[in-house]
Every structure is written in structure tokens, then in C-alpha cells.
Amino acid sequence: MLAAESGLRLDLDIVDYLILVLYFGTVLGVGFAARRAIKTSADFFLSGRSLPAWVTGLAFVSANLGALEILGMAANGAQYGLLTLHYYWIGAVPAMVFLGIVMMPFYYGSKVRSVPEFLKRRFNKPTHIFNAISFAVAQVLIAGVNLFALALILDALLGWELWISILVGAAIVLTYITIGGLSSAIYNEVLQFFVILAGLIPLTVIGLVKVGGVDGLFEKVRQSPLGDAALHTWSNTGSSADNPLGANWIGILFGLGFVLSFGYWTTNFAEVQRALSAKNMNAARRTPIIAAFPKLLIPAVTVIPGLIAAVTITGLGAKEGDLTYNNSIPLLMEQLLPNGVLGIAVTGLLASFMAGMAANVSGFNTVFTYDIWQAYIRKGRSDEYYLRIGRYATIGGVVIGIGTAFIASGYGNIMEYIQQLFSLFNAPLFATFIVGMFWKRMSPWAGFWSLLLGFLASLALYIAYLTDAITFNSALEQSFWGAGVAFVVAVIVAIAVTFFTPSKPEDELRGLVYGLGGTSQGTVIVSGEKVWWRNPVVLGTIAVVLALALYIPVW
Amino acid sequence: MADNDQVDEKKLSAAARLFDVRRVIGGLFVVYGVIVTVLGIFDTQDEIDKAQGVRINLWMGIGMLVLGLLFLLWLRLNPPEPPDPSDIDDERPPAD
């Protein structure tokens, strides 16, 4: 067994660097080419709503396939075993399908340009401001986390100084988003989707050969400290103490599978924006559903390498240094990949970091420009003016991201930090959305108070956890409960406030609320294209059935 | 930009054709495929041993080459269409 005494330093040769340089040359080339197609702010922020469903679908999954996600999920795989699959299956697929089938008719049909804009039309300005600002702040924070993670990885792998990596990484993202807008971000997301897979597949294949295939891997996991409990997804979740994840099935099903997952996938504008850029309603609805299929299979190249790392790298799981769980994939790269595929893997990792950050930045610049600047600061200027503001916002967002990169340094498992942000902002948002979309009486002020109090409830629980006033088995269990509490509080507040404040007239809610007609008739939800493979409902059902079927062998 | 609109339209569609994402993916993967396959052919025993005896560069190189060619073939068989009038967004702000 190769111990990692050699550290994480990769021995890249000239060909590996050539592969890396070719990639970034292509990325910048796409940015400059996309620039020619940009004439209006809608081109810049929404790609002129012109993209086919397979492109927006792959961009949708790719926007979530940042380096943090990949390294974090491999870390979770090494630490919690196959329970990590919940993040991919129950924690993603139902929500993605729900977004495509039920919610997209309202988003796309109402022609809103962002998620906060939907809240403005459904509720009122305070709700809009609160959401627009909290989203913008969260995106910049997460972009900072991405940047910091990239710098740490480059320092470990290539020996680059932190500040050089931060500046170079930020400069590349900044260049192609500022120049090419969302089209450029989306094209690169599609491209990086294939490159990251081309990097992770050889890693997984060689890793499996090393441990004697899937059977050999499972046998070794059984004999490791993780034990048999790490090879089951549900059967040990009767009590939170019996499985490595430290969560019971109620937490997984309700906290992760319902609140966290639906909050993230259905209301996170960095995701929804990909679907809004699709060329028509059907393509918009298929976007998250097409994304669900790769999402089902990605754990094969993230969670499995995590497990391989757990059984082949002695000492993995250190609190600091080279042997932390987050380094599972880089450690395997160092040990198993020869030059050539190594260059591809490094490129894929850097590309996926860029994609993650680009998703945050392009979400941020849109919300900042349309929802903050245009709505409240400078109304009624020309389209070119807002296009220019969008470019400045991109620069500002990247600069603040660089500054906030260091917030991330205090956390051992980066993923938990990200989950934390989502449960604080997204869980109450989903509650507000779902009640508002299906209950026409819900009043504008109910929207505001449910969002605010849901957020405060989640924050209070988080602070209680940090100060040990309430204890949980793990930070993950805390995030499940935080999300659950935020959701329940937001729903109760939404109902209660509605009884004391006036509702909006039905005329103003047409196209925004279920059952009122307008652009999104109730029938839209079940109808769709006649060809079955273009029908969102048929495709969505297949995705959910596949997710359930995949659980069977790892019950 | 001072160009008149028609020139712009032409440029735009030329750029759109050239940078159809399938061409970008196809092109990059063909290049990667060739580079990595050639490396794979000349891999030393040390490199093959590091990869647990798998000739990974050769296999991944061929795989990427095939994927790249498939994207280019798809583009060839199903070239980008001029935008369908029904797809054009009616929300574009009026030119001012």
C-alpha cells in the first residue's frame, strides 16, 4: 500500500500542461465568440432564451458539479460510505423532476428573469428585496468558497502560491463571464461536464482494479473501521446512532430529501437560470429532468473513489494536513494516474471549479442588475446601460468573492459549510414558494414574514448548535433539522399572516399561481410534447423510478 | 459598434455556427483523444504499473477521440437551424 508520504504534489509533465492550456484557451475562445452574439441584456443574462434542452440540461447538472461538490462528495463517500448516495438520489432527483413538471410552467411561463422577480410579482417589494439581497450575498460567499478551495488544491497539487491561484482562477472566470455572459458560462459548463468525467472515469476504473472490483471494494470496506453500515443506504437509519452519517431516516427523507433538496434545486436561481435560458417552455421543463439522469450516475465517479480512498490510503481522515477526507480524489490522482490522463483529471478539476464559480457569478450579476440595481437604484435606463452594469457587477462579485474566500478556511468539511448556507437561505424560500404557488389567498406580507422568520428560525438553531445549547450527532444532522425547522416555521407563518393581511386580487396573480389560468393553465402540468421522449412527465417518471431502482442493490 | 444591423446579423449567425457547442466539445475531445492515445501507445512499463496494469492512456485516448468524433458527426448530420420564429422571444426590448 502506498502511503502518502510523498504528499499530494503531482508530477505534471509538458503534455499535462499542454492539455491544461488547451482547455483554458478554448474557454476564453468561447467567451470571445459568445460576445459577438450579445446585443441585449437578455442575451447577456439569459442567453437570449435560445438554447436547446440538452445544452441547458447538462449546464444545469454542471452548475452543481463544481469542484467543491466533487471533492466534498468524495470526502463524504470516504467518511459516510454509501449513505452519501442520498445526496444524489433522494436528495436531488425528486426535486429536479418536481421543478421541471410542476414549477417550471410558472417560472418560464410568467417570463420572469430571475427567482427574486417571481417573488416580487407574487408577493411584494419587501419580499423581493430580502430574497434578492440574501441570494446575492450567498452567491458571493459561495464563489469565495470555490476560489479558496481551488487555491488550496492548486497549492497542494502543483505547488502554486495561494494568491497566484486565487488571482489566476478569478481572472479567467471574470474574463469569460464579463465578455460572454451566461452563454459563455453555459457553454463552458457543458464542456467541463465532459472533461471532468474524462478525468474521474480513469481514476475510478484504476481504483477499482486496485481493490479487486466492486466486490473487492465492499469486502475491504466491511473489514475497515467504516464497516458494513457504510454499505447500506437505508437499512441502518432506524436510529441516528447506527450509521456513519449520524442521521435517521426521518431526517434523511424530510430534511435532506424534501426541504434541503427542494429548497436548493427548485428555488436556487444559479440553477433555475439555466432552465430560463432554454428556447421554449418544453425545453425549459425538460432542463432539470434531463439533468437528473447524469445526476443519478455521477456518484459512481465520486462516492466510489471516496470509498476506494478510505480503504487504500492509510491514515485518511486526518483533521489537517494532506490526509483530510477532502483530499481523497487528489490523493488517488497522485497515486494512480500516469501523465496524460493525469493532465485531463487536473484540467477537469480546475474546470469544475470554474464552472461552480461561474454559476455563482452569473447568478449574482443577473440578480444584482435586474433585481437590485434596475428595480431600486436606477430605474428606466437603456438596455445597454444595464448590460454595462451587469459587466461591472460581475467584476464586483468576483472581487468580493476573493475577499470572502477566507471565510471557508475555518471549516473541516467544506460541504457542510455549503449545506449550512443553503439551509439558512433556501429552506424557508421553498416553503414560501410552494405555499404561494398553490394557495392564491396567501397574502404579500405573508410572503415576507414567512421568509424572514423561517430564516431566523434556521439561524437560531444553527447558533444554538454552534454554542452547544443543542447537540446533534453531526453537523449534517444539524443541517437537516435546521432546514426542517425553517420550513415548518415558514409554512405556519405564511398561513397565520394571511389571515390578518389582505390578499392580492386574482387578476394580478394570473400565471403565477396554480389554478388561475394565464400563461400556465393547470393542464400544462400534465400535458407536454406528444413524442414520449420529449414529454417532461414521462421523462420525469422514468428518472424517479430509476432512482428508486438504484437503491435496491444498496438497501 | 458602428456596423449596420445586417452585417451584425451575418456575423452573429456565422459566430453561432462556428461556436455551436457540439463543435467546441468535438474539437477539444478530438485533440485530447489524439494526444492521449499517442501517449498511450508509447507508455513506459512504469506508467502502466502505476495504473495497476491498465493501459489507461490508450483506452481513455481512444474513448475521448470517439466521443469527439461523435459530436462532430452529430453536428454534420444535424446542423444548427436558423432560429425558429416561434422560439424567438417576444420580450426583447424595442431597439432604441
Side-chain angles (χ1 to χ4, degrees), chain A residues 19 39 187 337 339 341, chain B residues 9 19 32 50 57 89 91:
Chain A
I19 288 170
K39 285 175 163 181
Y187 273 35
L337 296 184
N339 293 110
V341 286
Chain B
E9 285 301 332
F19 284 91
Y32 277 3
K50 185 181 185 188
N57 275 334
D89 197 343
E91 223 197 13

Side-chain angles (χ1 to χ4, degrees), chain A residues 238-462:
Chain A
S239 132
S240 27
D242 294 344
N243 62 77
L245 192 60
N248 64 24
W249 64 273
I250 302 173
I252 294 171
L253 205 61
F254 184 71
L256 175 66
F258 184 59
V259 184
L260 272 182
S261 157
F262 278 67
Y264 174 77
W265 293 101
T266 66
T267 64
N268 180 2
F269 180 56
E271 291 292 339
V272 173
Q273 188 177 24
R274 270 75 200 146
L276 292 185
S277 66
K279 64 181 179 183
N280 56 34
M281 171 70 90
N282 190 269
R285 296 183 65 197
R286 276 183 291 142
T287 295
I289 298 172
I290 288 173
F293 290 93
K295 189 74 185 170
L296 284 170
L297 300 176
I298 287 169
V301 293
T302 55
V303 179
I304 297 291
L307 273 178
I308 293 171
V311 297
T312 60
I313 298 170
T314 34
L316 188 73
K319 285 262 176 266
E320 50 194 28
D322 288 339
L323 292 173
T324 57
Y325 285 119
N326 275 321
N327 283 340
S328 301
I329 282 186
L331 285 163
L332 289 179
M333 281 165 55
E334 195 267 332
Q335 294 184 8
L336 302 176
L337 296 184
N339 293 110
V341 286
L342 181 63
I344 303 275
V346 171
T347 304
L349 207 54
L350 299 197
S352 72
F353 148 76
M354 302 277 173
M357 183 169 173
N360 300 137
V361 171
S362 56
F364 166 80
N365 67 17
T366 309
V367 166
F368 180 83
T369 307
Y370 281 153
D371 293 295
I372 297 175
W373 200 264
Q374 185 178 24
Y376 300 107
I377 299 178
R378 290 279 183 274
K379 295 180 190 177
R381 298 292 182 91
S382 68
D383 197 58
E384 290 93 75
Y385 174 81
Y386 294 115
L387 180 57
R388 200 164 63 240
I389 293 297
R391 293 199 158 114
Y392 293 149
T394 310
I395 298 170
V398 170
V399 169
I400 301 169
I402 293 171
T404 50
F406 296 95
I407 297 175
S409 62
Y411 290 78
N413 193 334
I414 302 169
M415 210 53 213
E416 287 173 8
Y417 172 74
I418 300 265
Q419 293 284 358
Q420 201 46 59
L421 274 176
F422 289 145
S423 82
L424 292 186
F425 286 119
N426 283 5
L429 183 56
F430 172 62
T432 308
F433 255 97
I434 206 69
V435 177
M437 270 186 181
F438 288 93
W439 191 37
K440 62 186 180 193
R441 275 193 61 196
M442 181 174 174
S443 67
W445 280 106
F448 176 76
W449 289 110
S450 71
L451 215 50
L452 181 65
L453 293 177
F455 168 71
L456 290 178
S458 184
L459 184 67
L461 193 71
Y462 186 49

Side-chain angles (χ1 to χ4, degrees), chain A residues 505-521:
Chain A
E506 288 191 7
D507 276 355
E508 292 179 24
L509 297 178
R510 235 170 269 287
L512 303 170
V513 178
Y514 182 79
L516 282 181
T519 47
S520 51
Q521 300 286 348

Side-chain angles (χ1 to χ4, degrees), chain A residues 15 18-19 22-23 26 30 33 39 43 49 54-55 111 187 190-191 194-195 198 202 206 209-210 279-280 334-341 344 347 383-384, chain B residues 1 8-9 11-12 15 19-22 24-25 28-29 31-32 35-36 39 47 50-52 54 56-57 60 64 67 71 74 87 89-93 96:
Chain A
V15 178
L18 176 67
I19 288 170
L22 278 172
Y23 183 82
T26 310
V30 168
K39 285 175 163 181
D43 291 341
R49 299 193 198 254
W54 73 271
V55 170
K111 298 258 181 208
Y187 273 35
V190 177
L191 188 59
F194 291 101
V195 177
I206 300 173
V209 169
K210 180 171 179 165
K279 64 181 179 183
N280 56 34
E334 195 267 332
Q335 294 184 8
L336 302 176
L337 296 184
N339 293 110
V341 286
I344 303 275
T347 304
D383 197 58
E384 290 93 75
Chain B
M1 280 190 215
D8 257 10
E9 285 301 332
K11 255 179 146 176
L12 188 156
F19 284 91
D20 187 295
V21 73
R22 291 171 294 179
V24 178
I25 299 170
L28 189 69
F29 270 78
V31 174
Y32 277 3
I35 294 175
V36 175
L39 273 184
E47 278 160 332
K50 185 181 185 188
Q52 313 295 312
V54 183
I56 197 72
N57 275 334
M60 281 308 295
M64 288 191 289
L67 181 73
F71 268 103
W74 179 17
D87 287 344
D89 197 343
D90 48 350
E91 223 197 13
R92 280 193 166 204
D96 44 6

Side-chain angles (χ1 to χ4, degrees), chain A residues 52-87:
Chain A
W54 73 271
V55 170
T56 52
L58 288 182
F60 189 95
V61 74
S62 224
N64 167 258
L65 201 61
L68 282 180
E69 165 81 11
I70 291 168
L71 299 181
M73 284 302 164
N76 286 343
Q79 199 173 354
Y80 308 121
L82 295 186
L83 285 133
T84 311
L85 293 171
H86 291 311
Y87 284 100

Side-chain angles (χ1 to χ4, degrees), chain A residues 25-156:
Chain A
T26 310
V27 164
L28 292 177
V30 168
F32 283 102
R35 181 193 175 100
R36 297 211 212 161
I38 293 178
K39 285 175 163 181
T40 67
S41 68
D43 291 341
F44 185 76
F45 295 118
L46 292 171
S47 297
R49 299 193 198 254
S50 63
L51 298 170
W54 73 271
V55 170
T56 52
L58 288 182
F60 189 95
V61 74
S62 224
N64 167 258
L65 201 61
L68 282 180
E69 165 81 11
I70 291 168
L71 299 181
M73 284 302 164
N76 286 343
Q79 199 173 354
Y80 308 121
L82 295 186
L83 285 133
T84 311
L85 293 171
H86 291 311
Y87 284 100
Y88 289 91
W89 297 345
I90 187 90
V93 172
M96 292 161 94
V97 170
F98 183 83
L99 171 65
I101 293 180
V102 180
M103 292 176 74
M104 200 49 73
F106 300 105
Y107 276 136
Y108 197 87
S110 63
K111 298 258 181 208
V112 294
R113 296 167 301 182
S114 69
V115 168
E117 190 172 343
F118 184 91
L119 289 172
K120 184 173 161 190
R121 290 183 44 193
R122 174 62 185 85
F123 300 111
N124 55 12
K125 284 183 178 174
T127 318
H128 177 237
I129 297 174
F130 179 75
N131 179 244
I133 291 178
S134 61
F135 175 81
V137 170
Q139 291 306 297
V140 175
L141 286 179
I142 297 168
V145 174
N146 264 303
L147 204 49
F148 184 73
L150 172 89
L152 284 181
I153 284 294
L154 283 180
D155 177 37

